[in-house]
Amino acid sequence: MNEDKKKILIYCQHSLGMGHLVRSLALAENLTADFRVRLLNGGRFPKRLPVPTGPEIFNLPPVGLDKNHRLVSGDRRRSVERAIDLRKEILLEQFRTFRPDILLIELFPFGRKKFSGELLPLLEEAKGRARIVCSLRDILVGRPGDQESFERRALETANRFFDAILIHSDENFARFEDSFKNRKELRTPIFYTGFVVPGEDKRKVGRKSGKTKKIIVSAGGGIVGEKLLRTSIKAHQILSRDGKVETTVVTGLFLPEENFQKLKAETNRIRGLKLIRFVPDLRDRMARSDVSVSQGGYNTTFDILLSGVAGIVIPYSENGEDEQQRRAEKLQKIGALRVLRAEGLTGRKLASGIKNAFSFQPTKFSPDIEGGKNSAKILQDILPGRRAKTNGEKSWLRPVREILTREEGEVRIFFRDDDAGLGDERLFSLLDIFEKYRMRLDLAAIPKAVTRELAGKLTDRIRRSNGLFSVHQHGFAHVNHEPDGRKCEFGKRRTTDRQFEDVSDGKKILSELFGPLVQPIFTPPWNRCTNATAGVLRDLGFQILSRESEAERLDLNGLLEVPVSIDWFAKRKGVFLEKEQIGRMLAGKIAGGKAFGIMLHHAETDAVERENFEGLCRLLAGFSRVKFISMLDLAAERQKGASVGMDCF
């Protein structure tokens, strides 16, 4: 055992099925290359389930849910209440003796509310002693009638305790906000790892053609799968009248023994039907079959996709469980499998679906399935005081990483992108980066340059961003009116009346294009304006002026200044700064402990600069103490009299 390795303590509680446990075991196995891993298993551990050799497995007194979603003890000699009390003590003891660098909690606080009594004391114990991370699957269960209160509870716990959230999904397939509507209230950074999938792609095995059609039926753990099993048996009997079929029914290890024996006795004499409890490699069995019938849990779905079998998914959807249904419908839409509803499903309907599936050629779907390896890299990155070996990270970011890992305290950053209306294609490429890393962006739009087509696209993007993007006024036409000296649209040569006309006309244009989305913020082109401009802005109802932090002071008289401190394309003596200089400037601002702003110009951001900027975004988003804010939020805090530390006047 390598005592030099950092340690991860994983908590996993599976309830109705084995999906959470299988995924956690696969994740734990991937992490052992870089960490010493101990997994605390809260449910029954099936004896026949393959166990990876790398991680340490510790089984808590087992507790789970029955098919009516009631807590039950896995040990008949011990009540649920006694089991929970014991588990609470054991969890604290495990944390204190193992002393992990990272505590990884599977699903909670976005599920497992019934286990909060043992988890909250553990989180209190771990806070400040370890990095606390949540491990989530791709889709959360919806909660009709209780969604708002559920999200409020989850937000409170996540924001209070958690340093990061790992979403085991390809973000191009399912995003967190698809399941969690209040994403913008979540201060904990999220990372998409890709799907955590054990085993290999089995499509190379192929299906052998022949007169006998092979069908494999599986029901996950089996606790809630008996109805599907019985319907599949009836479907087999119907299909066998018309031709040769062989059906293997995998009941699951959690189907009660009494039910299994009863089902086996009922099916012993059915020709071509084989009933078994478990197969160690379901994906391999699927790859050798013509059709798979299942409920479509997280792990089973990837067995279908990576086997190439024609899959029929009948999602479990009782008691408000909609996760399987939503995933299956997404995959059906792209042609990767077919979906049948459990409600009203009969043996005849299923037989018809299977018969049609014999000729179904599924569309190949190739999402990111490197979730285990990617998770290890992310977890390395969030360790305190450790410089992660992140792929492709540039050396100029080193001082930024060092200051972020060395010091504590919240870091608050806002971004302002100028010149919306110019270089539209590059603008949307920049928006993609901000959306990917869930970072907020204030867009400064040139009224005379914004077309109706662009306004329509931006309006849609702003509304879909859940508060990430906002728009405000950037001068009028972005033209220079100063014949001498530095460029300025609102300079000394521009009279107060002419400035009033330009600002007023620009405000009307943006109001017509964006309606109520326009914020009361004004950014002058080239970050320059005069006292006359400040007076005009006050008269026209603007609340915020945004320039550079080193710009000439003005008589604001109630107008708030929210300036930027770092220009991504800054020059000295007409020469662009090297990225090493930008990196040192960023590190200095972070060390200063005050909120600060970074100014961007998307029209100047080519592929190289986008790569550089995304490297910064990736780094910043990996630290929970970095908060992405907006100019309006900062101004609102100052208006309320809050003490806002800010790198400005």
Side-chain angles (χ1 to χ4, degrees), residues 301-538:
T301 294
F302 281 93
D303 286 332
I304 295 170
L305 297 176
L306 296 178
S307 68
V309 71
I312 296 176
V313 170
I314 305 161
Y316 175 71
S317 57
E318 297 180 19
N319 298 307
E321 295 275 348
D322 63 348
E323 162 244 333
Q324 293 180 356
Q325 185 74 41
R326 290 161 60 195
R327 182 186 301 109
E329 288 176 352
K330 278 177 172 282
L331 290 168
Q332 178 175 245
K333 190 173 181 179
I334 62 178
L337 48 74
R338 290 181 172 177
V339 180
L340 293 176
R341 291 272 184 177
E343 296 81 6
L345 186 67
T346 64
R348 188 168 299 280
K349 288 181 180 178
L350 180 54
S352 177
I354 294 173
K355 193 171 184 179
N356 291 333
F358 286 147
S359 59
F360 171 54
Q361 293 296 321
T363 300
K364 184 175 180 179
F365 176 55
S366 301
D368 182 354
I369 57 171
E370 296 294 330
K373 294 178 182 178
N374 294 335
S375 295
K377 294 174 184 175
I378 294 167
L379 292 175
Q380 281 181 326
D381 197 35
I382 69 169
L383 282 170
R386 175 165 175 165
R387 183 184 301 161
K389 298 178 181 178
T390 52
N391 288 340
E393 182 168 294
K394 307 294 184 181
S395 61
W396 68 270
L397 287 170
R398 186 172 300 162
V400 181
R401 176 179 293 283
E402 288 177 348
I403 198 70
L404 286 171
T405 55
R406 186 173 70 240
E407 298 188 6
E408 298 294 333
E410 191 173 76
V411 178
R412 307 175 80 205
I413 306 174
F414 71 86
F415 292 88
R416 194 190 84 200
D417 176 59
D418 289 1
D419 301 345
L422 306 176
D424 295 353
E425 185 177 340
R426 289 186 173 186
L427 169 59
F428 286 98
S429 295
L430 186 65
L431 294 182
D432 289 342
I433 295 175
F434 275 85
E435 199 161 40
K436 179 177 181 179
Y437 295 99
R438 307 306 299 168
M439 294 163 50
R440 302 180 75 171
L441 176 64
D442 285 288
L443 285 169
I446 306 169
K448 290 289 284 184
V450 177
T451 63
R452 288 197 175 276
E453 181 183 5
L454 174 60
K457 291 180 180 178
L458 280 179
T459 296
D460 181 62
R461 196 68 180 263
I462 291 168
R463 286 175 173 163
R464 288 192 292 109
S465 74
N466 291 325
L468 287 184
F469 306 140
S470 58
V471 65
H472 67 270
Q473 187 170 340
H474 188 32
F476 176 56
H478 208 299
V479 296
N480 176 36
H481 292 301
E482 296 298 304
D484 303 310
R486 296 187 299 175
K487 293 180 180 180
C488 190
E489 186 173 23
F490 296 88
K492 295 178 180 179
R493 294 296 185 97
R494 202 68 169 163
T495 67
T496 301
D497 289 342
R498 296 304 297 272
Q499 290 200 33
F500 187 94
E501 289 175 7
D502 285 352
V503 176
S504 178
D505 289 347
K507 184 179 181 183
K508 289 176 184 176
I509 291 171
L510 292 186
S511 180
E512 290 174 1
L513 292 173
F514 295 101
L517 293 178
V518 184
Q519 294 187 340
I521 302 172
F522 186 85
T523 293
W526 300 287
N527 290 286
R528 300 179 191 122
C529 62
T530 65
N531 279 316
T533 317
V536 166
L537 294 176
R538 286 195 304 271

Side-chain angles (χ1 to χ4, degrees), residues 21-22 74 146 235 256 260 283 345 363 493:
L21 178 59
V22 171
D146 188 42
F260 175 78
R283 190 178 305 162
L345 186 67
T363 300
R493 294 296 185 97

Side-chain angles (χ1 to χ4, degrees), residues 13 52 70 95 104 143 147 182 206 310 317 352 389 399 422 447 474 513 531 566 573 588:
Q13 174 63 54
R70 295 174 302 197
F95 182 84
L104 188 72
R143 300 169 188 272
Q147 189 72 23
N182 272 328
S317 57
S352 177
K389 298 178 181 178
L422 306 176
H474 188 32
L513 292 173
N531 279 316
I566 294 178
K573 297 182 180 181

Side-chain angles (χ1 to χ4, degrees), residues 234-276:
K234 291 178 182 177
H236 167 84
Q237 291 174 299
I238 294 169
L239 288 167
S240 62
R241 297 171 192 164
D242 300 326
K244 290 192 68 176
V245 295
E246 292 180 3
T247 301
T248 300
V249 178
V250 185
T251 66
L253 294 172
F254 291 154
L255 180 71
E257 180 64 24
E258 180 182 349
N259 297 33
F260 175 78
Q261 293 300 335
K262 185 177 180 180
L263 200 59
K264 195 167 182 63
E266 293 174 5
T267 59
N268 267 341
R269 297 183 180 180
I270 299 177
R271 182 179 300 176
L273 181 72
K274 186 177 182 181
L275 194 75
I276 57 178

